[in-house]
Amino acid sequence: MKNLFLIRHAKSSWDNSQIQDHERTLNARGLQDAPNMGKTLKSLYASPEKIISSTACRAKETIALIKAQWCPLQRVEYDKLLYEGSTSTILDKIQTFPSEISSVALVFHNPTITHLANLLGSSSISSIPTCGVVILSSKTDKWNFLEVGSCAIENFEYPKKN
C-alpha cells in the first residue's frame, strides 16, 4: 500500500509587490496554521518516509513548521519541479519513487496540487486551501502503478476544518 500526502503551502504574504513569486514568505496566518497542521498530522499519521518540497520560500517555510511538529528528524528534499511542474510531470516524478518507500509527502502549489488530488482520487475538490493536506492511498505496491483514479482519498485536512 502507498500513502501520498499532498500538502499545499500555508498562507503567504502579498505585502511587497517587488518580491518575485518564488521568494514570497508566509504571512502571520501561515506561520500559525503550519505548526497546527503539523500537530494534526502527528495525531493522525506516522511520519512519511520521504518529504519533497517545492523550492519556493513559502513551501520551504511551510514544511519546516509542519515537520517540527510531525516528523522533526525527517530530511526534506527540494525540487523545482514542484514549483513549476505540471500535473503530469509531477505524476511522472511520483511514479519514479522506489517501491520500498510506502509514504511520501509533497509540498507544492495550487492549482497543480488540486488537479493532482482530483486526478488520482477521482474527486472533485474545488480548491485545496492554503495549508490543506489531502491524504491519498493506493493498494498498489509500486509507485509506477499510480494513475488516474487509482487512489482513494483517506482524509482531507485544512486549517478551518475544525
Side-chain angles (χ1 to χ4, degrees), residues 12-79:
S12 59
S13 175
W14 289 91
D15 289 344
N16 185 345
S17 62
Q18 302 302 311
I19 293 179
Q20 295 287 324
D21 180 72
H22 191 269
E23 305 308 313
R24 284 192 297 117
T25 58
L26 298 182
N27 67 13
R29 191 172 112 204
L31 292 169
Q32 178 182 343
D33 287 348
N36 289 339
M37 187 55 63
K39 290 175 189 172
T40 298
L41 290 169
K42 182 177 179 147
S43 73
L44 298 171
Y45 301 99
S47 297
E49 294 170 70
K50 184 176 194 71
I51 301 172
I52 307 172
S53 172
S54 158
T55 56
C57 291
R58 60 193 181 276
K60 289 178 176 181
E61 286 180 305
T62 299
I63 194 54
L65 293 167
I66 288 175
K67 189 176 101 55
Q69 300 299 320
W70 184 23
C71 46
L73 303 178
Q74 192 62 277
R75 188 176 148 268
V76 178
E77 296 173 32
Y78 300 97
D79 190 331

Side-chain angles (χ1 to χ4, degrees), residues 59-132:
K60 289 178 176 181
E61 286 180 305
T62 299
I63 194 54
L65 293 167
I66 288 175
K67 189 176 101 55
Q69 300 299 320
W70 184 23
C71 46
L73 303 178
Q74 192 62 277
R75 188 176 148 268
V76 178
E77 296 173 32
Y78 300 97
D79 190 331
K80 194 165 188 167
L81 176 72
L82 291 175
Y83 176 69
E84 57 191 23
S86 68
T87 303
S88 62
T89 58
I90 293 173
L91 178 56
D92 288 347
K93 179 170 183 66
I94 292 167
Q95 291 172 333
T96 68
F97 295 156
S99 302
E100 310 82 63
I101 295 172
S102 61
S103 62
V104 177
L106 300 177
V107 185
F108 59 118
H109 312 271
N110 236 6
T112 312
I113 193 167
T114 298
H115 293 162
L116 185 61
N118 287 331
L119 179 80
L120 291 173
S122 292
S123 60
S124 57
I125 298 168
S126 61
S127 180
I128 296 171
T130 52
C131 213

